[in-house]
Amino acid sequence: MKNYKNKILAAVTIILIVQMMMPQAFSLDYGVSLSLDTNYVRVGPCSGGTMVSGTVENKGTQQDTYTLTPQDSWVIITPQKITLNAGETKKIAIFMTPPCDTAPKEYPIEIVAQSDKAKDTEIITIDVLRVHGVELAAVQTKTGCIGDIEQFDLDISNLGKTKETFSITSTKGTLDNSEVTLDAGASKKVILEAPIASEKDTIGVSVKSTTSYAETSKTLTLVGTTCYSQDITIAPESKITCMKESTDFILTIKNTGTKKETYTLKTDFGDLSTDTLAIEAGSESKVKLTVTPADTGKYTSNVEIISPHYSKKVSVSTSAESCKGVAVITIPKKETVCKGDNAQFIVTVKNTGKTEDKFSMSSTIGVLSEKDVTIKAGDTVELYANVSTKDLDYKTYPMTVTAASSEVSDTSVSEFTIENCYSASLNVDPEIVRVCPKNDASFTVTVTNTGKNKDTYTLETSSGQFSENQLTVESAKTTSTTLTIPSVKDDKTIVVNLFSGNVQASKTVNVTLKDAEKCYGFTASVNPESIEAQEYKGYLYTLTVKNNGEYTSNFTLSVVGGPDWVFFDPKMLEIEKGTDGQFYIYVSPPYGTQAGEYSINLDVKRNGVSEKTVNLKLIMGKSPVPPVKENETGGKPEEKPEPTVKTFNVTVDTEVTYELKENFTETVEGTYVEEGNEKQIDITFKTGSFIIEIDNATIEDQAPELGENTYEVSTENRRYTIALEFTEVDTETDTYKFRIKSVDFTEIKNETAPTGNATGENLKVPKNLIYATIVGLIIIILILFGPEIVGKTKDFFTEEKEEKKEEEVKAEEKPAVVSEPVEETPLEDIKGIGGKRAEALRKAGITSVEKLSEANISDVMAAAVTSENQSKDLIKKAKSQLKKKHKKDEKEKTREDVKEDIKNILESI
């Protein structure tokens, strides 16, 4: 019976030992870790695209599938389900879009990563900002006269963060706008007009957003008083005047009330100086009534005065009689003028009647300085008659001038004779010009005025342009201008025309071309024409350009075909005629350039015009291969594969200007194409100095310069190049404005070649076969040595207990030993903390991750100049970092203890 128990005990012991050795084979270990980049975000309602990145890690030893769920429906997680192998980690993205009616406050949202056997949670605090609001400002009480219309100015302001449309309503009155659309922070005035109907009245005004919760209202008050009266007179009551002559009556209106009043005036006979008046309280205004009888007799004029609160009529009478007369004289009676000049005459008109009269003036030829003149009784008016001779013939013309009123008229006759006083000569020098192709040709054009009068001439040409095409020349004088024919391409015959209002002339000249090669010829030669090359080395070609033309010219060089690792200097050469200059072309094939012949095409331009193409050859050979050595076993040599180097261009939005402020993160999504498939990569920009994170790698710039900055970020097998253009940099407030110019990366992959051969190959034995073999050996040992194993195992544990007791006794006798100092974790181990912020924390005495995890939030805020939420986030990251480190240390320690125990037990067996 005792042996039976010993065998059972031995079997149990062996099973326990095997379980400690092979946890993967005999037990299932499940676990999950959910980690977020940040646990606090700020976002406004209706604003989409706010994202928090995180990771999910399989902490167990078995493959497991996790479902990711948020607490709120306006939080979306992608992917929603992840299958991870043991120890595998994958990224997740959490998008937040609060609905437009979300109340502004902080919302703690729980994020859960859960499988059937494991679960982990994180809390994101989402601070929903107030983004909608409206304000109504207006004078709330106004006093006016009963019967008036009072106006209220309603100032409506959008206090929100987005553009919105607001509807406006009122219980009384009329609005000039019932709806306004305002940008964030903008204001607009809406006018409300309401009638004053009683001594006191109220109006309710409401403003409400058509798309959000924003609304406001006010109650306005109208107070009415009685305040209108007036006194109206007109003088004189009657007048005697001449027929068709105007006479005036004065209407006086005095406002005897307490308020300004507006009057409308109407009459059935005559003309009023105004038909509306606005008169202040206690003031008066005068209006003139003008009556013009058309015939003799007596006339009555009725004037009606109307206001919103008053109406009255007054009357006057006019008696008319006939009393008109007029006389006209023109000077001189005869005149001689040059063709093209004006003939001028003085016209004198006298009113010979008893009253003022208005006369219409007319002439059989020419233009009068005035068409109508009003002349008082006995007065004289002088005016002018002008006749243009430009379109008239060389002869004598009569001119009759008439002055007529409604009752009387008179005429006066003069005459003028036209003679020719204009002539001119035109000369162009030289008559033939020879120029190089595409050069300018110029001529001197001379105009001589051979007439009696000054004249203005206009020049026209069939080709080219004048330095001045209008010339004014005095009599017997000469003036010159230059005619330029730009960029002549072929022989030309040019016609030059001269004309004015009086003369015309014409000349013909010619332009012929010189030989183009003689004018602009050049040669381009290269040495050498072909080079044999290897990667990672530089090679030089010399291109010589000789100017054989007649002019000093600028020559430029450009690469129009070939690889992108071709460079040249200088960019431009100025070469005098008959001399030459050199361009130097440098090529440097990068590592991984394939063998073969490369053609490099260069375009040589003279003065920006493409003239010649030069071809260079570069023959790439294979890189030298080291001698092959056999391995120690005599097998085939180990083959080291060449690394695969690929360069990718990342497509990002290069038009957007990003603004990064303190405690703010901006993640930009980029895409690149690999083997026909589009792939995504995220670039994150943070403050705390200027920080760039990409592909789990980080670079920090304490003080970026304005303009273009280029950053290189390297991972295990990638090197990223990021070009940014900064338009604003403020390191005191951590404010940066920039655009992304370009993003690309080079990827280097080392392909693992298969090793081994038929006789000495390193075989990879399946784990299950190893576990089965060990189990079999243990069962055999159990059968053969069961009782001995039990005894040994029992002795082992008994001895271990006795040793522990002895150690405890010794510990009480010996003095305490000072433990070795624990190695502190540097602050830079916390992702995204930044060198500038880490240095500030050290100065405040927070020198490590351990001290940061125990620090107060207020201390971190003061030291690192951060917000409360960001300080909480830093402390949480520090605690999480230490937690992971302690778990790893404990796990490694436990495994070492188990291995040592197993070793001792097996040795005792």
Side-chain angles (χ1 to χ4, degrees), residues 55 174 401 498 528 557 670 707 729 782 790 803 847 851 854 859 891:
T55 58
T174 303
V401 177
L498 169 113
L557 186 65
V729 174
L782 181 62
V790 173
E803 288 175 0
T847 58
K851 290 187 178 180
E854 299 172 356
D859 294 339
K891 188 173 181 181

Side-chain angles (χ1 to χ4, degrees), residues 113-163:
Q114 185 174 12
S115 70
D116 294 339
K117 303 175 181 64
K119 177 180 178 182
D120 193 12
T121 63
E122 283 281 355
I123 300 294
I124 298 178
T125 299
I126 302 175
D127 187 359
V128 178
L129 306 175
R130 177 178 293 279
V131 297
H132 301 287
V134 63
E135 182 181 59
L136 169 61
V139 176
Q140 289 187 270
T141 301
K142 285 199 172 185
T143 300
C145 294
I146 296 173
D148 280 354
I149 301 294
E150 190 60 61
Q151 175 179 304
F152 290 90
D153 293 337
L154 310 178
D155 291 317
I156 300 170
S157 303
N158 184 356
L159 304 181
K161 306 296 183 183
T162 61
K163 184 176 181 179

Side-chain angles (χ1 to χ4, degrees), residues 654-724:
T654 59
E655 299 299 323
V656 175
T657 297
Y658 299 95
E659 183 174 3
L660 204 62
K661 294 188 177 181
E662 185 180 12
N663 309 324
F664 190 73
T665 299
E666 182 74 52
T667 299
V668 178
E669 179 183 300
T671 59
Y672 65 95
V673 178
E674 183 176 15
E675 297 180 355
N677 297 322
E678 186 175 86
K679 299 186 178 182
Q680 180 180 327
I681 192 164
D682 291 337
I683 310 167
T684 300
F685 303 94
K686 297 183 177 181
T687 58
S689 71
F690 185 77
I691 302 167
I692 305 175
E693 291 182 3
I694 185 169
D695 200 5
N696 294 323
T698 302
I699 189 170
E700 179 179 8
D701 191 348
Q702 297 282 357
E705 295 182 357
L706 289 173
E708 187 167 331
N709 291 250
T710 302
Y711 301 94
E712 288 194 356
V713 185
S714 297
T715 63
E716 183 177 352
N717 61 348
R718 286 184 177 182
R719 180 174 72 251
Y720 292 90
T721 301
I722 305 170
L724 305 179

Side-chain angles (χ1 to χ4, degrees), residues 334-400:
K334 292 185 178 182
E335 176 74 311
T336 301
V337 295
C338 293
K339 170 82 170 182
D341 288 348
N342 288 342
Q344 294 185 342
F345 299 87
I346 299 173
V347 179
T348 304
V349 183
K350 183 176 182 180
N351 184 351
T352 58
K354 298 179 181 179
T355 183
E356 181 180 86
D357 202 356
K358 182 178 181 181
F359 302 95
S360 296
M361 305 300 301
S362 62
S363 175
T364 56
I365 192 170
V367 178
L368 295 170
S369 58
E370 294 184 52
K371 292 183 178 181
D372 297 299
V373 291
T374 300
I375 309 174
K376 292 181 180 180
D379 284 354
T380 300
V381 171
E382 193 174 86
L383 53 146
Y384 301 91
N386 285 286
V387 182
S388 173
T389 63
K390 179 180 178 182
D391 299 321
L392 299 180
D393 295 331
Y394 297 104
K395 66 178 184 178
T396 300
Y397 292 88
M399 181 185 71
T400 302

Side-chain angles (χ1 to χ4, degrees), residues 385-600:
N386 285 286
V387 182
S388 173
T389 63
K390 179 180 178 182
D391 299 321
L392 299 180
D393 295 331
Y394 297 104
K395 66 178 184 178
T396 300
Y397 292 88
M399 181 185 71
T400 302
V401 177
T402 302
S405 71
S406 58
E407 300 177 37
V408 293
S409 66
D410 190 28
T411 61
S412 178
V413 178
S414 296
E415 63 179 36
F416 61 92
T417 303
I418 300 174
E419 65 176 356
N420 185 12
C421 304
Y422 296 94
S423 62
S425 65
L426 172 66
N427 185 53
V428 182
D429 185 52
E431 293 184 357
I432 299 176
V433 173
R434 299 185 73 249
V435 296
C436 289
K438 300 180 182 178
N439 266 21
D440 297 348
S442 63
F443 300 85
T444 300
V445 180
T446 304
V447 178
T448 302
N449 184 350
T450 57
K452 292 171 62 178
N453 289 348
K454 179 173 72 172
D455 203 356
T456 297
Y457 307 97
T458 299
L459 292 167
E460 289 184 349
T461 178
S462 59
S463 179
Q465 186 174 359
F466 294 101
S467 59
E468 187 178 359
N469 72 330
Q470 278 201 336
L471 304 174
T472 299
V473 186
E474 298 286 345
S475 174
K477 298 293 183 181
T478 298
T479 301
S480 297
T481 184
T482 300
L483 170 62
T484 302
I485 317 299
S487 302
V488 180
K489 298 179 181 178
D490 48 29
D491 293 349
K492 286 180 177 292
T493 298
I494 296 114
V495 178
V496 177
N497 293 315
L498 169 113
F499 59 91
S500 72
N502 309 288
V503 297
Q504 291 184 352
S506 180
K507 283 285 183 180
T508 300
V509 293
N510 294 282
V511 178
T512 60
L513 292 182
K514 297 181 181 179
D515 180 65
E517 186 63 27
K518 182 179 179 181
C519 292
Y520 307 119
F522 73 93
T523 59
S525 59
V526 64
N527 183 33
E529 294 181 355
S530 177
I531 293 178
E532 293 185 1
Q534 293 181 352
E535 58 188 353
Y536 269 159
K537 290 188 178 181
Y539 302 91
L540 187 67
Y541 298 85
T542 301
L543 175 64
T544 300
V545 177
K546 184 173 181 180
N547 184 357
N548 301 318
E550 296 183 357
Y551 304 98
T552 297
S553 299
N554 291 328
F555 292 86
T556 58
L557 186 65
S558 62
V559 179
V560 295
D564 58 3
W565 29 264
V566 178
F567 312 93
F568 61 87
D569 189 74
K571 304 294 183 185
M572 186 272 288
L573 282 173
E574 182 180 79
I575 304 177
E576 296 182 359
K577 64 179 181 178
T579 63
D580 57 35
Q582 283 76 37
F583 290 97
Y584 300 97
I585 298 92
Y586 175 75
V587 296
S588 178
Y591 181 76
T593 303
Q594 295 183 356
E597 183 175 293
Y598 291 81
S599 180
I600 303 168

Side-chain angles (χ1 to χ4, degrees), residues 91-120:
K91 284 187 175 182
I92 64 170
I94 302 170
F95 297 89
M96 289 142 285
T97 308
C100 294
D101 58 353
T102 305
K105 66 176 183 178
E106 289 188 351
Y107 293 85
I109 305 298
E110 184 179 60
I111 307 300
V112 180
Q114 185 174 12
S115 70
D116 294 339
K117 303 175 181 64
K119 177 180 178 182
D120 193 12

